[in-house]
Amino acid sequence: MTMNPDPMTMNPDPVTVTAHALHVPDPIGGFAATAAGELFSSVAPEPACGPEQAHTVLGRKGLLYKEDATRLALCAVHRAFGLPPGKLTEPLPGAEHTAVVVSSNVGNARTVRDIVAEMRAGSAHDVSPLNGPNASSNVIASTLAIRYGFTGPNLMVCSGATSGLDAVRLGALLLRGERARRVVVVGVEPDDEVARGLAALRPAAPGTTVPVPLRAAAACVVLEPGGRGPHLGDVHRHTRPDDIADALAPPAALRLTAPGAPGAAGGIDLTAHLGEVYGALGVVQLAVAAAWLGSGQPSGPGGALITCGDGEDGYASVRLDPAVVPARAGGG
């Protein structure tokens, strides 16, 4: 999708992250003491349930035939808004003009494979009418919109290793172009056998010879114009992991890097703890950075610099800065 809003109608308010949630059921790092593990555990101390236990968060109603990726995405959104367990009986407050942008590269691949196999072995009549909609490439985003009553634009992004931050960029563009009053951005991947098989075809991260296995993960960030949360910068695309734009150059107290590319300035690769989360990574990184900024841990100047991507798909980076920047010593 190409969006070129009229500059005269761009909303001048900064885009802020006003809510966030991480939903990673089974990190590979366990309790191992690594920088990635310690950072993630400090901002997400509660374990997340797997898709088969999603009813403990969402209630049982409405989950029949919902795929793993859809269930994980629903859990992340449910927790980002701080909702009690169970299905809502009416639209979420403020749902009108709320957009949904989801990043997932292999979210419903297993369903597509299964439906094709059923049709080849028999006919279209062998496909359950409850499962057919799951073959839509937009099923995750549309399910989120239907369940929570979101009436804004509804987008699905499947652009490879930069997909998570590409979704964040589209969400920010919807706000700046006044196409939505609030945007729910979700990154999610399942770890079923079809998704793992497709992810294993990707090249290994720099410095490694074997691809890291795909792991199930979901994260949600809520973007709003002029809110009280940390300020989101512009998403920049680049060809090398450290070839960032000048706008990203100021010091950052936290740097989250692309898999296998910590860079000369150091940084934390979350996949060392989480495993490969592919299209979910950019949103997971942004949710971790937002939680970290809100936890009282930051010290020193600057906020967080986030980079995702790989050598095949390129890289994307964005800054997330505190809502209130402390005055520098000696400053006016």
Side-chain angles (χ1 to χ4, degrees):
M1 178 179 178
T2 300
M3 298 180 62
N4 295 301
D6 183 347
M8 298 299 292
T9 65
M10 295 287 278
N11 190 326
D13 293 330
V15 175
T16 60
V17 177
T18 56
H20 50 78
L22 294 156
H23 196 83
V24 182
D26 188 22
I28 62 170
F31 296 100
T34 63
E38 291 175 0
L39 172 62
F40 187 84
S41 299
S42 70
V43 299
E46 298 295 328
C49 66
E52 70 284 353
Q53 294 296 317
H55 62 86
T56 62
V57 176
L58 306 168
R60 293 187 179 277
K61 193 172 183 180
L63 294 185
L64 185 64
Y65 272 93
K66 291 292 183 290
E67 300 182 299
D68 288 358
T70 300
R71 291 178 178 223
L72 293 172
L74 287 166
C75 288
V77 173
H78 208 83
R79 287 185 162 167
F81 283 100
L83 301 173
K87 186 176 182 180
L88 297 181
T89 56
E90 56 187 18
L92 193 69
E96 189 176 7
H97 301 302
T98 294
V100 181
V101 186
V102 174
S103 166
S104 184
N105 292 317
V106 291
N108 68 341
R110 182 174 62 179
T111 292
V112 174
R113 189 277 313 264
D114 291 346
I115 289 178
V116 170
E118 289 170 351
M119 294 182 68
R120 291 185 66 182
S123 71
H125 297 292
D126 296 312
V127 178
S128 168
L130 292 177
N131 199 31
N134 290 330
S136 165
S137 58
N138 197 42
V139 63
I140 303 173
S142 59
T143 299
L144 292 173
I146 292 169
R147 188 173 182 100
Y148 295 103
F150 300 139
T151 63
N154 192 264
L155 307 175
M156 189 76 192
V157 183
C158 313
S159 55
T162 61
S163 184
L165 288 187
D166 291 340
V168 171
R169 175 182 173 275
L170 284 173
L173 196 57
L174 287 170
L175 294 176
R176 290 173 177 139
E178 299 188 337
R179 299 283 296 275
R181 296 175 184 169
R182 180 173 63 183
V183 180
V184 175
V185 183
V186 174
V188 62
E189 295 289 11
D191 65 354
D192 58 71
E193 73 281 8
V194 175
R196 288 195 300 271
L198 291 171
L201 299 176
R202 299 176 58 217
T208 64
T209 57
V210 179
V212 178
L214 186 69
R215 306 292 291 199
C220 172
V221 294
V222 179
L223 307 181
E224 296 185 62
R228 294 186 176 181
H231 291 188
L232 181 72
D234 293 331
V235 176
H236 294 262
R237 294 294 300 267
H238 45 105
T239 56
R240 293 176 295 185
D242 287 328
D243 188 20
I244 58 176
D246 291 343
L248 302 171
L254 174 66
R255 185 169 186 182
L256 301 178
T257 67
I268 296 176
D269 174 6
L270 287 177
T271 61
H273 177 69
L274 304 180
E276 173 59 75
V277 297
Y278 201 13
L281 180 60
V283 186
V284 169
Q285 290 172 310
L286 187 58
V288 166
W292 176 79
L293 285 172
S295 68
Q297 299 180 62
S299 61
L305 173 59
I306 298 162
T307 299
C308 68
D310 64 17
E312 187 173 59
D313 296 331
Y315 296 88
S317 295
V318 69
R319 284 188 65 95
L320 187 69
D321 286 307
V324 178
V325 179
R328 294 179 182 275

